[in-house]
């Protein structure tokens, strides 16, 4: 962790079903093939509101969980083996994690992938309603000169 990166950060989480709030969580280091992104913009959308209103057992992921699946920011730190990106690069974080093997994915309808539930940032895995997010490099889309806070 660089000297400028804090060890902990405040994240907006679904703390328990129908109870959200801020919580101090560790700032993760990227592992092999991963990138830490400094979040510049995160959308709070209708899906987040569905999670906030959901009763226990409605969704297949464990809590607490940092919300936010519409994220953009700047590359903060590269994990081992990551090439093609550099610190400071502006990126969009793909939040839709498809299995690419089910009947829907095989016909190009990956938005219907049932295997992906509980497998995306802000949907079972820590999202972007925090200063930093760690993700696999293949989940990032370089956005060039676009400002992540506006994307």
């Amino acid at each position: 962790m660089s000297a400028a990166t804090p060890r902990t950060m405040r994240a907006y989480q679904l703390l328990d079903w129908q109870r959200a709030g801020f919580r101090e969580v560790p700032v993760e280091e990227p592992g092999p093939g991963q990138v830490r992104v400094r979040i510049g913009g995160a959308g709070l959308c209708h899906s987040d509101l569905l999670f906030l209103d959901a009763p226990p057992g409605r969704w297949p992921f464990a809590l607490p969980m940092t919300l936010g699946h519409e994220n953009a920011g700047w590359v903060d730190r590269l994990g081992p083996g990551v090439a093609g990106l550099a610190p400071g690069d502006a990126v969009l974080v793909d939040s839709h994690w498809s299995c690419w093997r089910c009947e829907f994915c095989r016909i190009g309808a990956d938005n219907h992938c049932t295997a992906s539930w509980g497998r995306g940032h802000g949907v079972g895995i820590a999202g972007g309603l925090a200063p930093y997010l760690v993700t696999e490099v293949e989940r990032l889309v370089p956005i060039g000169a676009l400002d992540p806070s506006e994307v």
Side-chain angles (χ1 to χ4, degrees), residues 28-110:
E28 294 182 51
E29 286 293 318
Q34 294 183 323
V35 174
R36 185 170 61 211
V37 175
R38 183 173 53 87
I39 297 296
L44 183 66
C45 80
H46 192 263
S47 298
D48 294 302
L49 299 178
L50 289 174
F51 300 148
L52 291 170
D53 291 338
R58 177 80 177 263
W59 301 105
F61 43 79
L63 302 181
M65 176 196 67
T66 302
L67 295 167
H69 61 269
E70 297 175 349
N71 308 299
W74 299 271
V75 171
D76 178 64
R77 186 163 185 162
L78 304 174
V82 173
L85 290 172
D89 286 354
V91 292
L92 180 72
V93 181
D94 179 11
S95 64
H96 185 73
W97 295 19
S98 301
C99 74
W100 303 112
R101 293 181 299 280
C102 73
E103 63 181 306
F104 297 110
C105 287
R106 287 194 316 262
I107 63 167
D110 56 293

